[in-house]
Structures are given as structure tokens and as C-alpha cells.
Amino acid sequence: MFSPQPMKHVLLQVMTEDLPQVSLILAELQVFGPDYRPFHDSQYRSIPGQRFRELYHRAVSRLQKISGHVRIGSQVALNELHVVREDELEETDRWLGETWDRCSTFEENLRHQSEEQQLLDQLEQALGNFGELNIDLGLLQGERMFLDIRLGMIPRTHVGQLKEAIALANYLLFPYLEHDEMVHVIVVGPKGERERELGSVLDTAGFRPLTIPVELQGEPSRVRIELQKRRLALKQASNREREIARQFASEIRERLEECQRTLVMAEPFVRLDTAVRTGGYTSVISGWIPARDVRRTERALVAGLSNPLHIEVRNPLPEERPLVPSYMPDNRLMAPFATLVKQYGIPRYGEVDPTAIFAVTFILMFGMMFGDVGHGLTIALAAWLARRKLKSFTLFTICIGFSAALFGIFYGSLFGYEGLFHALWLPPLSDPLYMLSVALMWGIGFLLLISFVSIYNRFIQGDLTRAIFASNGVVSTLLYASLLYGIYNLYREGSFGVPAASVSILALAVVLAYKLTETQASAGERMLVAVVETFETITGYISNTLSFLRVAAFSLNHVALAIAVFTLADMMNSTQGQVLMVILGNLFILILEGAIVTIQALRLEYYEGFSRFYSGDGREFKPLRLNLGGTP
Amino acid sequence: MPSPAPHTYLKTRAALLAKQLFSPERLQQLLESSLDTLYQEFGMESLAVLPGAESAINRAVERALMHTLMQELGVLLRPLAGEGRDILMHWARKFELYNLKALIRGKLQGHSFADVEQNLFDLPALISLPHDQLLRTENVLELLRQLEQGHYADIARQARQVYEEKNESFSLDAAIDRSYYLGLLRRIRRIGEADRSALHSLVGTLIDQQNLGWLLRYRFNYGLAPSETYYLLVPFGHHLHRDRLLDLVNLETFPQVIEALPGRLSEPLAGVGDLLDLEWRLERITAAQAHHDVRFSASAVTRSLAYLVLREMDLKHLYAILQGKVLGFTEQTIRSALGGTPVKAELRDNGAVDV
């Protein structure tokens, strides 16, 4: 329950021609995680399937891009499994390439049409603006004898510098209309040898010339009609393009799904990657298998292959431990908790898997902070009703709901009403100091448990020095315990006590000495770092312990919020108003406080818990499998 | 007003990091060291036994050095928040833009996926483009469509113009660089007064270095007209402001431009013969400003940025030395590639530079 599954390292020796078949069998079994480390046997040097991998990756990329245009099933149904050979993959890739070319052309055409659409919008706007310009518009178009006049648009950010730049070529720039990121400008200058120079600067500045409709100087209404005609033609062209794309999509959908199936079956061999080495007729595949599945894998391979094979199985070597993948349980109850644990990191192989500790402590802390029968049952009911959306988190939400309801029974609270039934323990606000001491004791217990787990993990990793001397090791836990004992003495008897003081000082000296030896720096810096880190160890324990006071604080806060809601309800004149206030207030508590309590409980788990014992830098066991969840 | 605690911490960190910057003597010593010694000294022992071609080793060296720089950037970013953090991150985006240029140029010239990928820096996710997605585009238009949908839409527009009309990629490079420096300046304008002026003079020096190199190259190597040259510059330098640049682009010869520079630049650049020499000298001027800022600037962000600028220069030098040694060049050849015997440039009290 607390440790990942024991793993075995396996080395499969098979005939090279059987490699695709082996990968398919392993993917069906879902128990083989490839080991990608370099393989030091001179007989097996080369990595097979380079071309196959290239084809696969290109084909997948193409399929993903095409599926942006052509909707294909999110679940792949494999009626029959077969080994995908290189020529089949090559044909799939070629067809996908041709298909993507077509889709890409559609994209580019639509892009041009959208650009044309924007241009028409700009022209229409310009038309309105020209109407307000008190000039002869005939001057702005056609060839002039002495003047070079250009109309166009440039990005807003380029206006200032372009104006200065073209002034060097004796041209002037006048902005006359601003539109989103683009500015409409008129550029005027003398005709002559610098026209080409101007053209070059304008190109570099992203100048897009605007054609003024010839009719503009005549009747703006006719121009508008002209623009409307262009817009209509554009819309028709765009609809035609979309219709062609739609037809194309329906024509190719079936073949596309076939390609998807081919790629799903080709993927296991690709994923083996450097875990396979070949030496001609024979090849080796190295990887990790959960110990309980070794026999099953061997039987399936023997039954599925026509050629003989050889399997070498061994336990992980001590120096390999950081590389061994950790098998994370995937049972339904633990799955949501495992997801939250993975947000922090994966346990190293052999380390305590914190999922169970996390699940129990999180549920308890949430319940304690949010104890109310009504609120708890509402959460559980809402989770059940929204189970399709919450998926694996349904059970998690139901658990925390029931926990809140259980603590509600302890506190005697139903939708904030106290006294409707007898509290099994006590209502939080009746003795806040007692609640705070309970939270403190919970925090101390939690931190001690976490420190023991941390020590255990380091022992398991063979890191004895850190297990004893480092932060959260034996010595610093002793320091924490002696400080707690001393403070308890101080509270009860008025003095810290000689035994507690002696142990504290001794442990402190050992921690400081360890920090001094551990720090790599000049003498002065080493002293500074060691003193600061030792001090930080003590303050860390104190602040982390006090951090757990929030468990009680939120239970008090919950009651206080309910009182506030009832006070507001009492201020209402009508019964309907009071009922409405109570309902809305309870909803407010459920949503806002519920979210805050969840975050606070997570924070306590991650920051006060995981950061102490859990390196989270392990590797998750990811077995080869057939990816049936849609586009590879 | 920046809060004092993180800024004091940042200044201390920058000062500690600055101790590892190369002095001219240290650079000389590196030049004289053997390849194995260098690998050992910079924690690249694994490269000594790396099988494969020289290009693979050079690539591994480059990755290791980039990793070092990014780690140090991470250290400096940690205590920073807000605009200060944004400025340091934007500075690091230059490497992302190198990648962007390589990607666009690679696609314009029809290079393969593998060829382009080899020329990209490995960057942390914080500042990295979605390379894989861009690399897997199958032609230039597809790449441009991808870029048009993201953060670099304006650059994509420019690139489309280069592709469809002009096919001169240097204007695209200039557009990318301009957008980078203008972004940096925009962030500096938003930062608190305590940091602004110091940052402006450091970044202005960097811009001067770029502007002068571009100006001379565009005018006299590519033969661009004054107006086009001016358009491609960033008119917000430290010594080379808008008016000065407008004057300079109108000059007809390389020596005329050098003579017309303001005193603080013309003095250290006197007698410069070619663009390469000019770039080395400009780099020394920037180094002098940055060294001064690392030691004396009252702004912690400026000190950090100055450190990063210097560290990047050092790592480039180190890379050149390692690359030269991997390829079996003589010490003399490597020294010439570094711009001659290492010397230290000093910023005088009046702002002038001895190079």
C-alpha cells in the first residue's frame, strides 16, 4: 500500500524480424516499460527502425494537422491487430502527405479570402472617411507628372519611424484613418529617381497599397454598390471553398480512420526506440516489468511468436534505483488522490508512496475545517449528480463531502444551525482554544509522521548520512521533539528542563556541524550558510507547526460565516427574505469557503508535508500500450 | 521604490556571480589550456569521451554553456518580481529569437527538419517557442500561418512579405531585432524610476552597438538607401539618438561615419578599418559599460542585466576557444577569432571608454 510495486529488469532476446510483433504483444499486455539507457554489449550496437520512426512521426504530425479540418472519432476501435510493416507505414504517410497538401491549400485560400474581407472592410471605412476629406480625390490616384502619391495601410507601430525614414527621401507621410492595428496613410513626394528607394522602404515597413475605386470621385453610392458586389462574390467563393472542403472531408474520413488505426498499431514499436538494439538477425529489448507480471509476459510472448526467444530477469541493482520506474496504483478509489500527488511529483522507486497518507490526511483535514452535516451531504450529492463531468474525481469529492458530514455530526452543525441535534464532540466556537490545541497536536503528529517517512526514504535509498544528519533526518527530528518537550515543560512547570535543553543543544550542534561539512564554499560563506540554514531548520519546524492552526481557524471561520448569514437573515423583514438569505448564504459558504478550504488543505499537504520527505523526482512506470484514445 | 531586501540580495548575488567573469589574464590562460583541462574546469568531462563528429561535440559544448547561462539567469530571477523580472526574461528571449530566425530562414531555404533542428538552441520552457510544432510544418506558408496565430504575428507578416515579394531575409532579421529591442525599451519605460535611467544607459549601449554595425553594413555592404537604412535601425540608443542617426545614414563613406560619431564613440573607434574590427571594439565598449554597471550601479536589476550581458560574452569567448581547440586550430588563429590579445576596456569618469 505504501511502497510501489516491486519491479524486475528484463532483457528480451528475440529474432530481429519479430520485433514489431513483440512490441504489439507487449503493448497489449500493458506491463512493459522500455528502458532507454545505452546498452553496452558490442554485439548489439545499432538501433533498428530509424526510417520507421521518421515515417511514423511525420505521419502522426500530418494526421494531427488534418484532424483539425476533418473530425475523426475520439476512440479508436481495433477490430483486428496486425503488425504494421514499413511499406504500409510509408503508404500511409504518403497518403496523409497528399491529404495535408489539400487541407493546407484550403487553409491558404481561406486565409486569402479573410485578408480580402479585411481589405474590403478597410475600403468601406476609407470610403466614408474620404467623404469627409475636403480634397479632390482625383488627385490621389492615377499618374501625376511631378508628384508621386501613394495610399495604403501600415501597422500602427511603424508609423513614426517610417515617417522619419521617408523624409530622408524627401517624401511626406500623412495618417488619415486608424483602424485596429493598421493606420491608413497617404505618402506624397516628388516623382523621380527616389521612387524605387521609397518602394523599398515601404515594402520593408509592411506597407499595403490601397486601390481607390475609379468611381470614388464620382458617386460614392455607386462605389458602395461595387464594394457590396465584391463582398458578395467573396462570400460565394468562400462558401464554395468551404463546401469543397466539407465534401473532401466526408470523402476521406473513412481512409483517415484507417490511417489512425495503422498508426496506433505502429506506435508500440516506435516507442521502444533506443530500448531495442540489434546485432543482425537477433535483437535485444530491455525494460521494466512489475514482478507479478513477468510469468504472464513470458507465456504471452512464447505463444505469440513463431521463433524462439530468451528472457533474462533480474532485480534492480542498488545503483539503478533512481532509474527504476515507480508503478503508481491505478485503482478507482486512489486514482484522484494519485492525480493530486502527481501534481507534486512521482515517488522514487522504493520510496513511500504518499498517496494513501495524502488521501487519509486530506479527507480528515477537509472534514475538520468544513464540518457540517448539511454542507457535507450537499457536496457528496452534487458530486454524484455531476459524476459524468467529474469523472475520476467523483469519488474524491464524495469522500470529502462525507468527511465534512461526519465532522458535522461531531460539531452538531446542520447548514450552520447548531443545537438542532446534540454534538457528538463539541461545537467549535464553544471552546476555540481547545480547537486550536487539537489542531496544534494534529500538526505535530503530522510533522513527526512525515519526518519518520523522510528518514525511512533516505535509509531505503542507502543515503545514511542524510537520513541521520540532514534536515528532517533523525537528528533534526530529535531536535524538534526535544524543543516540543522543553516548551511543554515551560508551559506546565515554568522551566525548559535540563534534559530537554541538553538534547536540544546537542542536536543543534550536530545539525550545525553537518551543515558546515556539507556546504561547499569559502570559510566565511560556509559559516554564514551553515548558521542561516541551521536557524532555518528550527524556524521551519516552528512555523510549519503553527501553520496547522489554520485547521482549527477554518472550523471556527465556518461557524462564524454561518452566524453572519443568520444575522443578515434576521435583518430581513419577510420570511421569504429570510429563507432566501439563508439559502444564498449557505451557497456562498459552500462555494467560496469550500474552495478556500480545499486550497488550504492542499497547501498543508504539499508545503508542510511533501516538501519534507518527498523528492518527487521519480519516474512513473509508463508501459507500452495501444493508444486507443484518439489521434496518437 | 524597489523593496530593499530582495534588491540587496540580488546585488549580493550579482556581485558573487561577477567574480567568475573572465579577466583578460584569465582569458589568456584559457587560450593556453588544453582541451581536457578546459573540459575538466567547466564540468564537461563527459564530452572528453563523447564519440562522434566534431560538430556533435561543438553542439554539446554549446548546450552545456547555454545551460550554465540559463541556470544563472534562474538564480537572478528568483528574488525578482514585476517589471525587473520581465526585463531579464525579455533579455533572454534573444535566444528564442535566434531560434525563430533560424526556423524561418531554414524554411525559406527549404532545409530539412533535422538540419534546422541542429541549429536551434535548447532553451528552458519559460522562453522557448513551440519548436516541434513549427518544425513539423511542411512548407513556408504553413509555418507563417502558424506564426500568425501566436505571439509573433507581426513578425510573421513581415516574413510573409519577405517570402512573397522581396526574398531578402536581412530585413526580416532586422524586423525581429527591432521588435526585440523595442520590447526591451518598452519594459524599461514601465519600471520604477530608481532603475530606469541606469537600465536605459546599459540597454542604450547595447542598441548603439547593434545600430552602428547595422548602419555600416546596410549602407556600405548591402548598398541600401539612407531612408531604408534608417528605417531598419532602433533610434533609441545611448549615444546614437534619432537626430544623430538621421545625420549618419546620409554620409557617403565608412570613414565619414566614424568621424561623425559623438566623441565618446569616435575616440575608441578611431582608425577602425573594417566591420569585424568595429564589432570587436564596440563589444569592448559595451563590456566597459557593463563592467561599470556590475560594480557601481545603484539598481540591482541593472547589475543583474549587466552581469548577464558580460557572462554571455564570456561564454561566447569560451565557446570560441573550445570550438577552435576541437577543430585543432592554433592558439594564434583562435586569438584572432576573439579579436586579438585580450584587453580590458575601462569606462572613464566622463563616460568615455579606453579600449
Side-chain angles (χ1 to χ4, degrees):
Chain A
M1 186 177 180
F2 292 107
S3 294
Q5 280 277 336
M7 302 295 282
K8 296 278 183 188
H9 188 270
V10 292
L11 193 70
L12 303 169
Q13 199 170 7
V14 296
M15 301 304 288
T16 303
E17 64 186 73
D18 285 341
L19 280 175
Q21 181 71 46
V22 173
S23 66
L24 211 53
I25 294 171
L26 293 175
E28 269 193 283
L29 291 171
Q30 301 188 19
V31 294
F32 180 84
D35 177 3
Y36 298 112
R37 284 176 295 166
F39 190 67
H40 296 295
D41 188 333
S42 58
Q43 195 190 336
Y44 299 101
R45 278 186 162 269
S46 58
I47 303 161
Q50 184 61 30
R51 170 86 183 134
F52 192 91
R53 268 191 296 280
E54 279 172 19
L55 286 170
Y56 170 82
H57 288 303
R58 197 168 59 193
V60 165
S61 155
R62 286 172 168 171
L63 179 68
Q64 282 169 345
K65 289 189 290 192
I66 296 167
S67 60
H69 296 261
V70 184
R71 189 177 293 179
I72 48 174
S74 59
Q75 289 292 316
V76 182
L78 289 177
N79 298 328
E80 53 154 354
L81 280 180
H82 71 267
V83 171
V84 177
R85 301 281 167 199
E86 198 169 296
D87 49 356
E88 186 186 349
L89 191 59
E90 194 145 18
E91 173 53 25
T92 303
D93 176 56
R94 187 198 58 74
W95 184 83
L96 287 170
E98 282 174 12
T99 309
W100 172 239
D101 266 353
R102 287 286 304 274
C103 293
S104 190
T105 312
F106 289 135
E107 264 187 16
E108 196 58 27
N109 290 347
L110 286 174
R111 191 196 160 277
H112 278 301
Q113 283 163 357
S114 138
E115 209 168 46
E116 175 75 11
Q117 178 74 40
Q118 279 175 15
L119 194 70
L120 285 176
D121 290 344
Q122 309 266 358
L123 269 176
E124 210 155 68
Q125 211 173 351
L127 186 64
N129 202 54
F130 285 144
E132 291 166 20
L133 278 178
N134 190 19
I135 56 168
D136 176 4
L137 294 176
L139 288 174
L140 301 180
Q141 61 191 0
E143 284 288 308
R144 304 277 132 219
M145 191 174 289
F146 301 111
L147 277 182
D148 180 11
I149 304 177
R150 304 178 194 212
L151 255 89
M153 298 180 293
I154 52 167
R156 185 193 296 271
T157 48
H158 298 187
V159 175
Q161 199 164 348
L162 182 65
K163 192 172 183 175
E164 288 168 359
I166 62 171
L168 289 168
N170 300 327
Y171 275 80
L172 297 169
L173 180 146
F174 301 101
Y176 68 89
L177 174 68
E178 294 196 359
H179 186 271
D180 295 336
E181 288 303 300
M182 302 299 275
V183 175
H184 290 232
V185 294
I186 300 173
V187 177
V188 190
K191 266 182 105 66
E193 58 188 27
R194 305 193 84 162
E195 274 179 65
R196 183 181 291 174
E197 181 184 331
L198 177 77
S200 189
V201 188
L202 292 181
D203 277 349
T204 309
F207 179 85
R208 286 167 59 193
L210 277 175
T211 322
I212 308 177
V214 181
E215 302 88 338
L216 196 66
Q217 53 186 314
E219 295 170 47
S221 58
R222 270 176 53 206
V223 182
R224 280 212 173 81
I225 293 168
E226 207 52 45
L227 288 179
Q228 283 300 325
K229 277 186 192 163
R230 278 174 70 181
R231 200 183 279 281
L232 192 67
L234 184 67
K235 197 175 177 190
Q236 283 168 346
S238 173
N239 286 344
R240 262 198 312 278
E241 193 70 25
R242 283 180 208 284
E243 185 49 39
I244 295 171
R246 229 186 332 268
Q247 272 179 13
F248 179 67
S250 62
E251 279 166 24
I252 62 164
R253 187 166 288 115
E254 204 173 312
R255 175 77 196 269
L256 207 56
E257 284 174 349
E258 195 185 313
C259 292
Q260 190 184 24
R261 286 192 285 275
T262 305
L263 291 176
V264 166
M265 288 183 286
E267 189 189 2
F269 181 52
V270 173
R271 267 205 60 204
L272 280 179
D273 199 19
T274 55
V276 189
R277 302 279 163 156
T278 186
Y281 292 112
T282 56
S283 297
V284 286
I285 308 174
S286 59
W288 303 98
I289 296 185
R292 62 176 185 198
D293 293 311
V294 173
R295 294 291 300 278
R296 187 160 72 96
T297 310
E298 192 171 357
R299 280 199 300 272
L301 285 170
V302 170
L305 299 177
S306 50
N307 292 309
L309 79 153
H310 176 70
I311 302 187
E312 274 176 42
V313 183
R314 62 168 173 80
N315 287 323
L317 304 171
E319 63 271 21
E320 280 180 330
R321 291 190 79 91
L323 303 169
V324 183
S326 300
Y327 184 96
M328 300 289 283
D330 53 2
N331 68 60
R332 278 188 59 204
L333 182 68
M334 285 295 168
F337 297 100
T339 307
L340 289 171
V341 169
K342 279 189 218 167
Q343 297 300 314
Y344 193 89
I346 306 291
R348 282 187 195 170
Y349 179 66
E351 267 188 2
V352 168
D353 176 0
T355 310
I357 299 174
F358 173 83
V360 172
T361 52
F362 185 90
I363 290 172
L364 284 176
M365 280 196 287
F366 184 90
M368 192 171 169
M369 288 195 262
F370 203 69
D372 187 293
V373 179
H375 293 154
L377 292 179
T378 310
I379 291 175
L381 181 68
W384 174 251
L385 293 174
R387 60 189 181 280
R388 282 184 205 285
K389 283 198 170 174
L390 288 174
K391 292 180 183 159
S392 65
F393 273 83
T394 309
L395 207 58
F396 167 82
T397 319
I398 288 176
C399 284
I400 60 173
F402 279 138
S403 171
L406 183 69
F407 273 90
I409 296 171
F410 290 157
Y411 296 160
S413 173
L414 179 76
F415 287 117
Y417 289 100
E418 288 181 350
L420 292 180
F421 62 92
H422 185 67
L424 216 57
W425 184 18
L426 86 165
L429 221 50
S430 65
D431 192 350
L433 280 179
Y434 176 70
M435 289 305 290
L436 289 169
S437 7
V438 170
L440 209 59
M441 294 312 290
W442 165 264
I444 291 167
F446 185 85
L447 289 177
L448 284 173
L449 171 71
I450 294 303
S451 296
F452 290 140
V453 175
S454 163
I455 294 164
Y456 171 82
N457 279 348
R458 287 174 188 163
F459 270 118
I460 286 293
Q461 300 292 333
D463 195 351
L464 284 184
T465 316
R466 292 191 65 232
I468 297 171
F469 299 111
S471 299
N472 305 312
V474 174
V475 178
S476 52
T477 308
L478 197 63
L479 172 65
Y480 178 52
S482 60
L483 282 174
L484 286 174
Y485 181 55
I487 292 167
Y488 178 74
N489 284 341
L490 201 63
Y491 172 68
R492 294 296 298 264
E493 292 158 21
S495 76
F496 199 83
V498 178
S502 315
V503 175
S504 300
I505 292 167
L506 191 67
L508 195 65
V510 174
V511 171
L512 180 67
Y514 173 72
K515 301 275 183 204
L516 274 171
T517 54
E518 195 198 22
T519 310
Q520 300 294 323
S522 60
E525 194 179 341
R526 178 183 293 210
M527 195 63 205
L528 184 73
V529 171
V531 169
V532 170
E533 284 191 2
T534 308
F535 181 68
E536 204 182 5
T537 307
I538 303 170
T539 53
Y541 271 121
I542 295 170
S543 61
N544 291 348
T545 309
L546 294 178
S547 208
F548 281 86
L549 288 177
R550 75 189 68 209
V551 176
F554 274 95
S555 67
L556 297 171
N557 179 47
H558 191 78
V559 184
L561 269 176
I563 292 172
V565 169
F566 295 140
T567 311
L568 285 172
D570 286 343
M571 288 160 72
M572 297 284 161
N573 294 328
S574 64
T575 317
Q576 290 96 324
Q578 285 178 347
V579 171
L580 193 69
M581 191 65 217
V582 169
I583 293 173
L584 289 178
N586 271 288
L587 269 178
F588 175 78
I589 293 173
L590 265 169
I591 296 168
L592 188 76
E593 208 208 334
I596 294 173
V597 163
T598 308
I599 292 167
Q600 290 297 335
L602 261 182
R603 185 209 168 276
L604 285 172
E605 293 285 350
Y606 282 166
Y607 186 69
E608 319 298 350
F610 287 8
S611 65
R612 288 182 166 272
F613 76 98
Y614 184 41
S615 48
D617 58 355
R619 295 158 183 238
E620 188 180 1
F621 177 65
K622 289 186 176 163
L624 279 189
R625 61 176 80 212
L626 290 163
N627 181 6
L628 302 176
T631 314
Chain B
M1 181 83 186
S3 66
H7 282 252
T8 309
Y9 174 77
L10 189 60
K11 279 184 187 171
T12 316
R13 288 271 19 167
L16 284 172
L17 285 169
K19 283 188 180 162
Q20 58 183 344
L21 291 171
F22 299 160
S23 63
E25 298 75 32
R26 173 86 173 115
L27 208 55
Q28 182 60 37
Q29 187 199 347
L30 294 176
L31 261 167
E32 288 163 7
S33 304
S34 72
L35 195 55
D36 284 340
T37 316
L38 291 175
Y39 282 154
Q40 209 168 2
E41 206 170 323
F42 293 97
M44 301 180 204
E45 291 91 341
S46 58
L47 299 183
V49 291
L50 192 75
E54 287 146 350
S55 60
I57 297 176
N58 279 333
R59 178 109 184 96
V61 168
E62 189 188 62
R63 281 185 182 184
L65 296 180
M66 178 56 75
H67 181 68
T68 307
L69 188 64
M70 289 299 134
Q71 263 192 328
E72 290 173 3
L73 170 70
V75 168
L76 294 171
L77 281 178
R78 223 167 287 146
L80 269 177
E83 289 303 328
R85 182 183 177 84
D86 204 20
I87 286 172
L88 292 200
M89 273 175 47
H90 189 84
W91 174 83
R93 289 229 163 84
K94 67 196 279 183
F95 301 105
E96 179 193 37
L97 293 178
Y98 290 152
N99 280 351
L100 183 64
K101 286 182 197 172
L103 263 168
I104 296 177
R105 215 175 289 139
K107 286 286 172 192
L108 284 173
Q109 291 166 9
H111 290 312
S112 72
F113 176 101
D115 284 350
V116 180
E117 196 183 25
Q118 269 189 358
N119 288 305
L120 302 182
F121 286 115
D122 277 340
L123 296 175
L126 200 64
I127 54 166
S128 182
L129 284 164
H131 292 148
D132 261 8
Q133 203 183 338
L134 295 174
L135 273 170
R136 289 192 184 280
T137 54
E138 301 193 18
N139 53 48
V140 184
L141 290 174
E142 193 188 338
L143 172 80
L144 295 177
R145 283 203 303 275
Q146 287 269 2
L147 281 175
E148 274 163 358
Q149 283 158 19
H151 186 59
Y152 291 108
D154 54 337
I155 287 169
R157 265 199 297 275
Q158 185 92 24
R160 188 176 277 276
Q161 201 136 8
V162 168
Y163 174 71
E164 288 177 349
E165 290 165 30
K166 295 184 75 181
N167 284 315
E168 289 166 2
S169 60
F170 67 82
S171 69
L172 176 63
D173 285 0
I176 293 177
D177 290 338
R178 275 192 63 213
S179 125
Y180 167 74
Y181 281 111
L182 291 175
L184 202 51
L185 287 168
R186 213 170 28 247
R187 284 166 176 80
I188 290 173
R189 279 186 207 120
R190 288 202 295 253
I191 204 167
E193 224 165 285
D195 295 305
R196 199 181 306 145
S197 112
L199 274 169
H200 211 286
S201 55
L202 175 62
V203 172
T205 308
L206 289 172
I207 293 175
D208 282 346
Q209 185 186 343
Q210 289 285 346
N211 270 343
L212 196 54
W214 285 337
L215 189 151
L216 292 166
R217 189 171 293 117
Y218 294 149
R219 282 290 285 129
F220 308 118
N221 286 29
Y222 301 160
L224 295 190
S227 55
E228 193 168 7
T229 303
Y230 177 78
Y231 182 75
L232 294 172
L233 303 178
V234 182
F236 303 102
H238 185 36
H239 297 302
L240 302 178
H241 305 287
R242 173 182 286 113
D243 295 342
R244 179 74 69 164
L245 288 173
L246 284 167
D247 290 341
L248 292 176
V249 291
N250 266 319
L251 298 173
E252 293 302 323
T253 63
F254 191 108
Q256 276 177 3
V257 174
I258 301 298
E259 274 170 33
L261 289 171
R264 284 172 189 173
L265 282 176
S266 68
E267 212 177 303
L269 295 178
V272 65
D274 55 46
L275 265 173
L276 202 59
D277 187 16
L278 176 102
E279 277 174 1
W280 285 328
R281 293 201 204 187
L282 284 172
E283 189 181 290
R284 283 181 205 149
I285 294 171
T286 308
Q289 173 75 45
H291 270 296
H292 179 269
D293 287 344
V294 162
R295 289 176 63 197
F296 304 116
S297 178
S299 150
V301 184
T302 311
R303 283 195 193 201
S304 308
L305 183 61
Y307 168 75
L308 288 169
V309 168
L310 289 168
R311 186 66 167 151
E312 190 209 350
M313 283 181 195
D314 277 359
L315 294 179
K316 262 191 202 160
H317 290 156
L318 178 60
Y319 179 55
I321 294 171
L322 285 163
Q323 201 177 22
K325 287 186 187 286
V326 168
L327 295 170
F329 292 158
T330 63
E331 196 186 309
Q332 189 51 42
T333 314
I334 301 173
R335 183 176 288 119
S336 350
L338 295 176
T341 308
V343 287
K344 182 162 187 177
E346 294 278 5
L347 191 72
R348 280 192 253 132
D349 290 340
N350 63 359
V353 179
D354 292 326
V355 295

